[in-house]
Every structure is written in structure tokens, then in C-alpha cells.
Amino acid sequence: MLVNGTIDEVTYNTTSGVVVNKFTTSETFSGWTPTNASIISNSTVAPDGSYTATKIVEDSYNAIHRIITNQTFAPGITYTMSTYAKAAERRNFIIFHESGSTANRAGVQANLQTGTISNYTTGSGTVNNSFISNIGNGWYRFGFTFTGTVAESPTITYRLIDNTGALTYTGDGASGLYIWGAQFEQSPNVTTYVGKGASTILTPAFKAREVPDTVYTTSQFDEITLIGRAHV
């Protein structure tokens, strides 16, 4: 039950049909590893109106400029990966995974100025479908769906592209773009964003997803603890 509409912890019921965001730091990007780039938190206003958007900033080397993390895939399971992004000095952005080896990539490239996308694949990498939506205020949510082929923990890459379209280029040490709301879910379609902060405890995202003060759905969660407000 809820007491005065306040809770501080929920335990997810895996049979509920509710999608879980597998990225545990979807707004701060804490724990992601930068390569020839910097991760700057709280850089501008995010799509939900909070000042929590992160900026990826390139360094001055002639190299790739990216941030990376890892996720676990299972064969035959369909996943959807998405993110919110906004152009700054850079407008071209690519997100992808490397399955099996760096030769097998699947993802999507976005132009955050025109709001257009194209699939990005190498080797045996396959994209089931891709999508982009204009969220407003320069923000887009884009991503792609794919099916795992082997049990593995591949690299997930968010990579800057220069304004000529080059994947490897000499950075200027200051340019970049904004990101927020990364989501990785076991689903054949993109679903409503579920915000997460610096831990696996759900953090405030969109107010529409706040647990109502008088509602507790036992089919979705099997444990609840009173103290602070939580969002799902």
C-alpha cells in the first residue's frame, strides 16, 4: 500500500509486462567510459524541464570521440535502445552496439539539425527498425530495435560525428552535443522513458509516470517501502 502517496523503493515483478530500463544511469551517464571526450553533467535543460541534460564534449585529438558502456544480450531476444539528444556545436550523432566483435555493429545515425536518421550496420550487424521523434526545443528521441544472436555483453557506443559526417576527426576540444534519457529495454518497440539516476532506484522523470497517491498495482510490483516519493 501507499501511505500519503510516498514510497522510497519498489521491487520489480518480472512477469508484470512492465518494461525495465536496463541503463542504471540514464541521465547522469555515471559509469560510462569516455574515449577522447568528456561527460559534463547538468549542462542544459532536459526534455522533462529539469536542468539535468549531459553534454558530450570532444577533445582535440584526431580520433574517435565517444562514451561507452556494456549491456547483456541473450540470443533470440529483441531489444530496443533509445536516447534523447540535442544538437550543440555538433549535430551528427550515432548510437550502436558491437556484437561478437567490433566488426559487427548495429545502430542508428541521427542528424539533430534536420531530424533525419539512417541505419548503421557493419559485418553481420542487423537493425530490425529505427525511429526518431521531435520532442521540441531542439530535442529528438531516436533509436533502434534489434534481436540478440548470442549470449554476450557487448559494448554500447554513443559517438560524435563531425559536421562533415566523418566518424574519426580532429576535435576542437570544446564542441559537442547534449544527451539525456538513455533507455535499453527488452521490447520490440520503444516505450515511455523510465528515468534512472546514479543508482538503480528510479528517479523523477516525467510527472505523468508518478505513482498516484491512492494507487498501488500489485501485478507490477511485489514490494514497497515507505519513506520518499518514487516514480515508475
Side-chain angles (χ1 to χ4, degrees):
M1 64 178 177
L2 297 180
V3 180
N4 296 324
T6 58
I7 57 178
D8 75 341
E9 180 179 338
V10 291
T11 302
Y12 178 65
N13 178 353
T14 57
T15 64
S16 68
V18 177
V19 172
V20 169
N21 184 357
K22 296 179 182 294
F23 285 142
T24 58
T25 54
S26 62
E27 296 169 14
T28 65
F29 295 88
S30 173
W32 291 56
T33 302
T35 305
N36 303 309
S38 298
I39 301 172
I40 304 177
S41 301
N42 304 324
S43 293
T44 194
V45 176
D48 71 341
S50 63
Y51 204 86
T52 56
T54 294
K55 190 174 186 181
I56 307 176
V57 178
E58 65 197 34
D59 67 12
S60 57
Y61 287 99
N62 182 12
I64 61 175
H65 307 278
R66 67 181 185 179
I67 63 173
I68 60 173
T69 188
N70 292 90
Q71 272 298 327
T72 301
F73 298 174
I77 302 299
T78 299
Y79 303 95
T80 297
M81 186 161 66
S82 61
T83 195
Y84 294 83
K86 179 178 180 177
E89 300 83 12
R90 297 300 178 201
R91 60 177 180 265
N92 296 314
F93 191 37
I94 187 169
I95 64 174
F96 61 90
H97 73 81
E98 297 176 342
S99 180
S101 73
T102 57
N104 302 314
R105 294 173 174 173
V108 62
Q109 178 176 327
N111 184 317
L112 301 173
Q113 186 176 72
T114 62
T116 56
I117 57 173
S118 59
N119 291 347
Y120 172 71
T121 60
T122 63
S124 61
T126 301
V127 171
N128 296 358
N129 64 277
S130 54
F131 52 87
I132 189 168
S133 297
N134 188 336
I135 306 301
N137 295 321
W139 285 98
Y140 290 90
R141 189 185 191 192
F142 75 99
F144 67 102
T145 298
F146 65 96
T147 301
T149 56
V150 296
E152 59 179 337
S153 298
T155 299
I156 305 293
T157 298
Y158 280 26
R159 185 166 169 178
L160 299 175
I161 305 173
D162 79 0
N163 291 342
T164 70
L167 291 169
T168 300
Y169 62 94
T170 302
D172 61 16
S175 294
L177 52 77
Y178 301 108
I179 55 174
W180 184 85
Q183 184 146 303
F184 184 83
E185 53 191 308
Q186 184 179 317
S187 171
N189 303 291
V190 65
T191 66
T192 303
Y193 170 61
V194 177
K196 292 190 175 184
S199 72
T200 56
I201 301 300
L202 299 178
T203 58
F206 295 112
K207 289 295 183 182
R209 294 188 61 77
E210 182 173 272
V211 177
D213 287 355
T214 57
V215 177
Y216 172 57
T217 306
T218 55
S219 63
Q220 294 181 2
F221 303 99
D222 60 15
E223 180 182 329
I224 193 164
T225 307
L226 173 69
I227 291 183
R229 182 173 299 279
H231 293 66
V232 298

